[in-house]
């Protein structure tokens, strides 16, 4: 089973040293440091793996098998922020553990992982301790020798200082160490990692990836920039979804929906004969991501509602039945989702999205000025929202109105995402529309959640009744949810009057 920790560190250039730590500046003067404890010299031997075209390195991801030191094993490091990575550690073995291979699959897909670089280091380690003997940070003077194994030839050697914050430490402490090191003439490393430096120094002729996209100019540029951002979100979130990290499934689902909505909204820019099949696949993926998420949201809502019921009005094992209902599908849905993330269909979708962005099916309008082409697409979406709101308000309360409001909510999301894509080109008017659509989406979402909660409560009540239990509390909660939906409906006309002219400035 893999262990996960947050790694916060900084790297610095250092003069060549004999490997015994003699090149380290004196750090006893750092505020808060009472003792600098010599931990000796460790000899580390690490082989780094990547695809032939170095997809992991291109995104700041490192995957290695290392022997020596106190944490020998397989290490996968995923970037979180500058100087901060999430490190996932698996026990030492001859072959790459399946769980780590899965966490990079959204990057590697069908490509083989190969050994690309071997790094051998002599690490002179010092522990920075406070007055109570607690570890503040580890400082290592690393004498590194890099050997290229594939994708190039050559060797390189250098010495660097690495300062890693202790688990749970205050990142501000690294600023204090940084100040002391700079005062001693030490400068930050230009390379983000040892691997990045090794790749650069051992393969001067390495194939370059595609040039970074420039600033958006025309309508097509702006649409592609937004699509690129959402595609990156899906790929980046894949490892977190596999690990069941908090809010990861929801975030990935939102990125998937944004992609699909953008393809629909900007059909004047992108050829729908190419994008419609992609939209169908994105709809499938969003559906899979939503299977467990929808029940999770409903459970949280019903649990909070039950907590608000006075104890004397809770009849029967309502909380226990709700908990059982919540967990009934979680394991099945979780297994189904992991299967999808490893499926040929999903990995093909990721490849298709890459192709869409690198070789987009642009139409003539893509070359138009964004202020006109994008604004018209956003206005078109907004008109659909307006028509659906009018239809819902004209309908009698009940299923017909519920369905119309749900459709209006979906179109509201689409309009919001279209406006988000247009913000860099249209500025304040698009931002204002995003804000209005988000507020409308929240209100309509509250209504839809109440509709779905009533449906779940009817299901729970039926099961409880069949078991001979008192169903009074389910009825009470059902009535409260019905009142919540009615409150949204009653307030909607006045609210809509305040936002329905939101596109006038576009």
């Amino acid at each position: 089973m893999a262990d996960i920790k947050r790694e916060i560190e900084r790297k610095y250039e250092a003069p060549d040293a004999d490997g015994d730590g003699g090149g380290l500046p004196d750090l006893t003067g750092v505020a808060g440091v009472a003792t600098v404890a010599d931990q000796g010299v460790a000899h580390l031997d690490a082989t780094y793996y990547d695809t032939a075209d170095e997809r992991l390195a291109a995104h700041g991801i490192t995957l290695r098998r290392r022997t020596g030191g106190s944490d020998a094993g397989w290490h996968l490091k995923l970037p979180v922020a500058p100087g901060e990575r999430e490190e996932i550690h698996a026990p030492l073995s001859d072959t790459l553990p399946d769980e780590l291979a899965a966490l990079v699959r959204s990057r590697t897909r069908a490509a083989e992982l190969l050994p690309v670089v071997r790094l051998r280091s002599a690490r002179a380690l010092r522990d920075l301790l406070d007055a109570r003997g607690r570890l503040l940070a580890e400082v290592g003077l690393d004498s590194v020798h890099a050997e290229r194994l594939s994708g190039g030839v050559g060797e390189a050697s250098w010495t660097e200082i690495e300062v890693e914050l202790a688990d749970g430490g205050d990142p501000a402490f690294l600023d204090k160490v940084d100040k002391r090191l700079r005062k001693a003439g030490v400068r930050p490393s230009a390379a983000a990692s040892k691997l990045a430096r090794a790749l650069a120094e051992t393969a001067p002729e390495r194939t370059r990836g595609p040039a970074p996209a420039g600033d958006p100019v025309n309508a097509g540029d702006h649409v592609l920039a937004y699509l690129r951002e959402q595609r990156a979100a899906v790929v980046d979130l894949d490892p977190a979804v596999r690990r069941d990290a908090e809010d990861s499934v929801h975030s990935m689902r939102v990125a998937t929906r944004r992609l699909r909505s953008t393809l629909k909204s900007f059909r004047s820019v992108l050829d729908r004969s190419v994008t419609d099949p992609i939209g169908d696949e994105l709809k499938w993926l969003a559906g899979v991501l939503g299977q467990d998420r929808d029940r999770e949201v409903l459970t949280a809502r019903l649990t909070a509602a039950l907590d608000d019921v006075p104890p004397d009005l809770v009849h029967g094992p309502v909380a226990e039945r709700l908990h059982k209902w919540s967990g009934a599908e979680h394991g099945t849905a979780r297994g189904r989702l992991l299967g999808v993330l490893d499926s040929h269909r999903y990995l093909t979708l990721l490849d298709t999205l890459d192709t869409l962005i690198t070789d987009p099916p642009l139409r003539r309008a893509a070359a138009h000025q964004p202020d006109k082409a994008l604004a018209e697409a956003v206005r078109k979406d907004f008109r659909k929202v307006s028509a659906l709101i009018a239809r819902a308000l004209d309908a009698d309360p009940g299923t017909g109105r519920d369905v119309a409001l749900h459709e209006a909510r979906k179109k509201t999301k689409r309009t919001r995402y279209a406006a988000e894509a247009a913000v860099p080109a249209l500025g304040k008017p698009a931002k204002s529309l995003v804000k209005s659509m988000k507020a409308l989406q929240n209100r309509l979402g509250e209504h839809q959640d109440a509709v779905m909660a009533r449906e779940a409560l009817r299901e729970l009540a039926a099961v409880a009744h069949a078991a001979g239990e008192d169903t009074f509390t389910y009825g009470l909660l059902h009535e409260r949810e019905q009142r919540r939906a009615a409150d949204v409906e009653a307030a909607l006309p006045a609210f809509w009057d305040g936002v329905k002219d939101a596109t006038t400035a576009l």
Side-chain angles (χ1 to χ4, degrees):
M1 188 67 180
D3 296 323
I4 302 173
K5 73 171 186 175
R6 186 61 60 93
E7 177 188 79
I8 303 176
E9 65 180 17
R10 298 187 188 181
K11 293 180 180 293
Y12 299 86
E13 302 286 351
D16 290 337
D18 56 11
D20 64 358
L24 276 175
D26 180 13
L27 297 175
T28 55
V30 175
V33 175
T35 307
V36 177
D38 187 346
Q39 298 299 327
V41 178
H43 294 276
L44 311 174
D45 191 340
T47 299
Y48 289 78
Y49 289 76
D50 205 337
T51 60
D53 54 359
E54 299 173 10
R55 299 178 191 177
L56 301 185
H59 294 91
I61 299 170
T62 61
L63 174 63
R64 73 187 180 202
R65 180 185 185 274
R66 190 168 79 180
T67 59
S70 61
D71 63 347
W74 288 89
H75 305 127
L76 171 64
K77 298 187 179 185
L78 303 169
V80 176
E84 187 172 346
R85 296 186 290 183
E86 198 162 57
E87 180 177 323
I88 303 160
H89 176 263
L92 190 64
S93 61
D94 292 336
T95 58
L96 174 64
D98 290 341
E99 56 190 318
L100 297 192
L103 293 177
V104 296
R105 192 158 292 138
S106 67
R107 300 289 184 192
T108 61
R109 300 173 202 173
E112 183 182 2
L113 283 165
L114 307 166
V116 292
V117 167
R118 182 183 184 186
L119 293 182
R120 282 170 285 185
S121 307
R123 169 169 292 178
L125 188 62
R126 303 288 187 269
D127 285 351
L128 305 186
L129 309 175
D130 66 11
R132 298 174 62 182
R134 294 177 301 189
L135 180 65
L136 299 171
E138 293 180 341
V139 181
L141 179 67
D142 294 343
S143 299
V144 185
H145 180 78
E147 176 188 0
R148 188 76 179 215
L149 301 178
S150 63
V153 294
E155 299 183 1
S157 297
W158 68 89
T159 304
E160 68 178 36
I161 295 173
E162 183 176 291
V163 185
E164 182 174 346
L165 188 68
D167 291 346
D170 182 358
F173 176 72
L174 294 183
D175 293 333
K176 300 174 183 177
V177 178
D178 179 83
K179 183 178 180 180
R180 178 68 184 89
L181 290 174
R182 288 174 184 264
K183 189 174 181 180
V186 177
R187 293 293 175 261
S189 174
S193 66
K194 288 182 176 67
L195 176 62
R197 182 165 183 171
L199 290 174
E201 295 195 13
T202 63
E205 310 248 335
R206 74 188 271 216
T207 303
R208 293 185 179 181
D215 292 335
V217 175
N218 54 37
D221 292 339
H222 283 275
V223 172
L224 289 173
Y226 191 72
L227 289 173
R228 191 178 297 112
E229 179 183 342
Q230 304 312 317
R231 183 280 313 265
V234 170
V235 175
D236 289 347
L237 285 163
D238 179 289
V241 171
R242 292 175 185 270
R243 291 173 11 238
D244 205 15
E246 184 178 359
D247 206 41
S248 59
V249 173
H250 172 64
S251 296
M252 188 174 181
R253 187 186 188 190
V254 169
T256 303
R257 284 175 162 173
R258 281 186 165 120
L259 282 166
R260 182 168 178 257
S261 290
T262 303
L263 298 182
K264 284 181 171 292
S265 292
F266 298 105
R267 284 171 170 166
S268 64
V269 173
L270 297 169
D271 184 352
R272 66 177 299 179
S273 68
V274 176
T275 61
D276 279 1
I278 300 174
D280 291 340
E281 291 300 278
L282 290 167
K283 181 179 181 180
W284 159 75
L285 178 58
V288 174
L289 291 165
Q291 288 173 353
D292 200 29
R293 171 67 181 177
D294 289 343
R295 181 162 291 213
E296 179 184 329
V297 170
L298 262 183
T299 299
R301 182 184 182 95
L302 293 176
T303 300
L306 182 61
D307 289 343
D308 285 340
V309 176
D312 61 322
L313 296 181
V314 179
H315 297 183
V318 182
E320 292 84 348
R321 190 161 292 287
L322 178 58
H323 178 74
K324 184 177 179 180
W325 175 82
S326 171
E329 291 294 327
H330 178 72
T332 301
R334 176 79 185 149
R336 188 184 303 120
L337 174 56
L338 291 177
V340 163
L341 296 184
D342 287 332
S343 69
H344 176 74
R345 184 176 182 179
Y346 167 70
L347 298 176
T348 298
L349 172 58
L350 297 185
D351 286 338
T352 303
L353 291 172
D354 288 349
T355 301
L356 173 69
I357 290 169
T358 57
D359 187 20
L362 297 174
R363 300 185 64 191
R364 184 177 300 176
H368 293 174
Q369 291 297 313
D371 56 341
K372 293 184 178 180
L374 301 187
E376 177 51 37
V378 174
R379 284 194 292 265
K380 184 177 180 181
D381 280 345
F382 185 81
R383 287 194 292 269
K384 293 178 181 179
V385 173
S386 183
L388 285 167
I389 291 290
R391 184 187 307 171
L393 294 177
D394 287 341
D396 292 331
T399 302
R401 177 178 283 184
D402 292 344
V403 171
L405 288 173
H406 182 46
E407 288 301 312
R409 176 175 175 250
K410 291 192 288 186
K411 289 297 187 293
T412 298
K413 286 184 183 179
R414 179 168 153 184
T415 304
R416 173 188 169 187
Y417 299 153
E420 285 178 353
V423 164
L426 304 181
K428 187 175 180 180
K431 284 184 179 180
S432 177
L433 182 58
V434 169
K435 184 177 180 180
S436 295
M437 292 299 95
K438 184 176 181 180
L440 179 60
Q441 177 187 327
N442 288 340
R443 284 176 178 258
L444 297 178
E446 168 65 18
H447 185 274
Q448 179 63 14
D449 287 348
V451 171
M452 298 304 295
R454 296 203 306 273
E455 182 178 321
L457 287 165
R458 288 193 293 269
E459 177 186 332
L460 286 164
V463 174
H465 178 73
E469 297 168 7
D470 192 330
T471 60
F472 169 81
T473 306
Y474 300 104
L476 175 64
L477 292 173
H478 187 283
E479 189 276 333
R480 290 184 176 184
E481 291 292 350
Q482 191 163 6
R483 194 185 324 141
R484 283 172 138 185
D487 288 345
V488 172
E489 294 176 26
L492 186 58
F495 179 81
W496 177 243
D497 284 341
V499 301
K500 64 183 177 181
D501 296 327
T503 58
T504 56
L506 289 176

